[in-house]
Amino acid sequence: MSLEQELAGLKPKSETALTIGVFDGVHLGHRRLLGVLNDKAESNDFVSGVITFRQHPLSLLKPEAIPPFITNLPQKIKLLKDEGVDFIITLPFTFELAQTGARHFLSLLKKNLKMSELVLGQDFTLGRNQEGDADLLADISRDMHFELTIVPHLKIDSEIVSSTAIRKALADGDIIKVNKMLGRHFSLEGRIISGGGKGTEIGFPTANIDVEPLRAIPADGVYACRIFLDGCKYNSVTNIGKCPTFGKDERTIEIHIMDFEGDLYRRELKVDIIDRLRSEKCFSNSEELKKQIARDIKQALAILENTDK
């Protein structure tokens, strides 16, 4: 399907206010931009729309540099919908799209989506070879008779809120900073897979969650978490890493769910990561590990009892 065919499928009934971007994470900076978009649409009696991509543009342009994703496509669409936009278009990032000039792409939005307002983030570029910077986009908006609004960066503690900053904070294990920039708790979703059973042997059964290979994951360590399973909420201590006490080589995400009994194998769950308790350690024996897990649970409960949601 061509780019124009993709865009022609919606046929909005009225003029539109649009934004374009990857929106990985749908963080507070994105949410401020979406708020501006919705305000523009409401004040002009337009419908608001988001154009995003089914995969990161770097997966085509520079596969070796593709960043780990904060939210997968279903999560991203849900979060965008939660911000109140009227419609979302997810385009495949193809060679055709990569080679489309900024002026031609925007002409397609005018023709097929009745675009009258375009809201973009600061430093956003559009079109072949990133030609569509703020100056060119301003020229095009005048020529094509649509309004262009550039939303400045949002800063928290003097740092720009961005997907890149969130990925770095995840890699550093700074989950408090991650959650502050997201405006919600960072979460992982996946299916429970079989593990080695070591947790059960020492009295703290764990479930291993399988996440997508390119998913951004916090640094190795032990975290206080909330688990969402079949509409119920549970407290958890989650270990991310290689479990050095048992000599594992493979990195895993092992979840000990408090006050839960039952078979989790192959069930889907969501993990909200609330706070980091400590780095991963190698213990001399399983008894020392058991004592530390008991301390982790006590610390996690104290944190979770004072955490909303």
Side-chain angles (χ1 to χ4, degrees):
M1 187 181 293
S2 71
L3 174 59
E4 183 158 11
Q5 287 173 322
E6 291 271 3
L7 293 172
L10 184 68
K11 301 185 185 306
K13 294 179 180 180
S14 66
E15 293 177 275
T16 63
L18 301 178
T19 188
I20 309 165
V22 176
F23 295 106
D24 186 23
V26 193
H27 53 62
L28 286 179
H30 294 144
R31 289 162 64 182
R32 182 167 77 167
L33 184 151
L34 294 168
V36 173
L37 176 75
N38 287 329
D39 288 345
K40 294 283 185 181
E42 184 177 357
S43 63
N44 291 286
D45 202 23
F46 298 160
V47 293
S48 60
V50 174
I51 298 172
T52 189
F53 309 107
R54 296 175 198 167
Q55 67 277 89
H56 198 286
L58 287 177
S59 64
L60 178 72
L61 301 175
K62 199 174 182 182
E64 70 278 9
I66 183 171
F69 58 85
I70 301 164
T71 47
N72 62 21
L73 186 59
Q75 287 175 310
K76 178 166 71 172
I77 291 172
K78 180 184 182 302
L79 289 166
L80 291 170
K81 287 181 178 178
D82 288 347
E83 293 305 306
V85 297
D86 293 310
F87 67 90
I88 300 165
I89 295 176
T90 58
L91 294 176
F93 197 88
T94 62
F95 283 107
E96 178 195 4
L97 180 55
Q99 292 303 311
T100 300
R103 187 175 294 272
H104 180 56
F105 183 77
L106 292 174
S107 73
L108 293 177
L109 300 188
K110 284 284 291 183
K111 174 185 175 182
N112 295 287
L113 300 181
K114 302 179 183 178
M115 179 183 69
S116 290
E117 182 94 35
L118 181 62
V119 178
L120 299 173
Q122 187 177 344
D123 297 338
F124 179 85
T125 56
L126 175 69
R128 180 179 53 246
N129 299 322
Q130 298 182 314
E131 65 180 8
D133 60 11
D135 291 337
L136 178 59
L137 293 175
D139 289 341
I140 295 172
S141 72
R142 287 188 287 269
D143 294 341
M144 293 189 183
H145 307 290
F146 64 84
E147 294 296 321
L148 174 67
T149 300
I150 303 296
V151 179
H153 294 305
L154 173 67
K155 291 186 178 181
I156 294 179
D157 299 330
S158 301
E159 183 175 2
I160 293 172
V161 176
S162 69
S163 302
T164 299
I166 290 169
R167 292 187 195 101
K168 183 180 184 305
L170 281 169
D172 293 341
D174 190 350
I175 200 68
I176 297 298
K177 181 177 179 179
V178 169
N179 292 342
K180 186 182 291 188
M181 287 191 167
L182 288 175
R184 65 179 186 279
H185 298 130
F186 175 79
S187 64
L188 295 169
E189 296 180 357
R191 178 174 293 184
I192 297 300
I193 57 175
S194 60
K198 293 294 186 182
T200 301
E201 290 179 12
I202 64 171
F204 296 100
T206 58
N208 288 23
I209 185 171
D210 187 29
V211 298
E212 294 147 290
L214 289 177
R215 193 70 160 83
I217 297 173
D220 290 357
V222 179
Y223 295 84
C225 301
R226 284 237 171 84
I227 307 299
F228 298 86
L229 174 69
D230 296 336
C232 296
K233 179 173 66 176
Y234 302 91
N235 294 324
S236 165
V237 169
T238 297
N239 186 89
I240 299 175
K242 296 183 177 181
C243 300
T245 302
F246 298 113
K248 290 186 178 180
D249 292 324
E250 182 182 0
R251 195 169 186 235
T252 59
I253 303 171
E254 294 195 23
I255 303 162
H256 171 66
I257 306 177
M258 303 176 206
D259 301 319
F260 177 84
E261 293 183 4
D263 184 12
L264 289 169
Y265 182 58
R266 301 189 66 83
R267 294 170 72 179
E268 299 279 343
L269 56 74
K270 174 174 175 277
V271 184
D272 278 5
I273 302 182
I274 311 300
D275 203 351
R276 191 170 194 256
L277 303 179
R278 61 177 175 86
S279 60
E280 194 175 40
K281 300 176 183 178
C282 182
F283 295 90
S284 57
N285 54 61
S286 60
E287 284 301 316
E288 290 299 316
L289 176 58
K290 285 173 63 176
K291 292 177 183 178
Q292 181 60 59
I293 293 174
R295 290 192 289 268
D296 293 338
I297 290 172
K298 184 177 181 180
Q299 183 183 356
L301 283 172
I303 291 169
L304 295 170
E305 285 173 359
N306 291 291
T307 301
D308 293 336
K309 298 182 183 180

